Amino acid sequence: MTAQELFDLLKKTQEAKGYFFNKDMTRTMELMEALLVNKERYGYMCCPCRLASGDRGKDQDIICPCLYRAPDVAEYGSCYCNLYVSEAWNRDEVEHPYVPERRPADKMPF
């Protein structure tokens, strides 16, 4: 699967849920590529902006779309990676603040 194919597949399902890809297509496609690298590396598409353990059970919360996407987009207009955003974020109707890490420290593999 290519990054473009992944984008096309996910776009349909995620937009129906109210989550949109960042309009910065360079950033978005880099993240699509990274998701595919992680799928090859780990066997699942874990968040490319977080360190995965390689244990699917331990990484369940960061398999994209991660468990933290909904609260991040609700609060900041964007997920941690800036991959998934709100429509208002893409239209520059809201600020684009730094999205802090929500993943608890005890779930991190280091």
Side-chain angles (χ1 to χ4, degrees):
M1 176 177 284
T2 67
Q4 185 64 54
E5 290 169 334
L6 180 60
F7 174 86
D8 293 340
L9 177 71
L10 293 176
K11 183 175 177 13
K12 293 176 194 172
T13 60
Q14 298 309 307
E15 283 189 0
K17 297 175 184 178
Y19 298 101
F20 300 84
F21 286 123
N22 188 330
K23 68 181 178 180
D24 178 348
M25 290 306 294
T26 300
R27 172 82 174 147
T28 296
M29 295 313 283
E30 286 172 352
L31 291 167
M32 290 291 140
E33 291 284 350
L35 284 169
L36 292 171
V37 166
N38 282 347
K39 183 170 174 67
E40 186 172 316
R41 182 180 292 152
Y42 302 116
Y44 51 94
M45 290 190 297
C46 57
C47 176
C49 300
R50 293 181 167 106
L51 187 59
S53 70
D55 179 322
R56 186 182 185 102
K58 290 179 181 177
D59 292 339
Q60 195 66 37
D61 63 319
I62 60 168
I63 294 175
C64 189
C66 74
L67 194 68
Y68 313 106
R69 176 187 70 173
D72 283 350
V73 173
E75 186 172 349
Y76 300 102
S78 169
C79 71
Y80 183 66
C81 293
N82 301 134
L83 176 61
Y84 288 105
V85 301
S86 67
E87 280 187 292
W89 196 94
N90 262 345
R91 290 192 304 251
D92 296 320
E93 295 172 355
V94 296
E95 294 291 320
H96 294 180
Y98 170 76
V99 179
E101 176 63 271
R102 286 185 193 265
R103 192 176 199 209
D106 65 339
K107 289 194 169 249
M108 297 191 193
F110 47 86

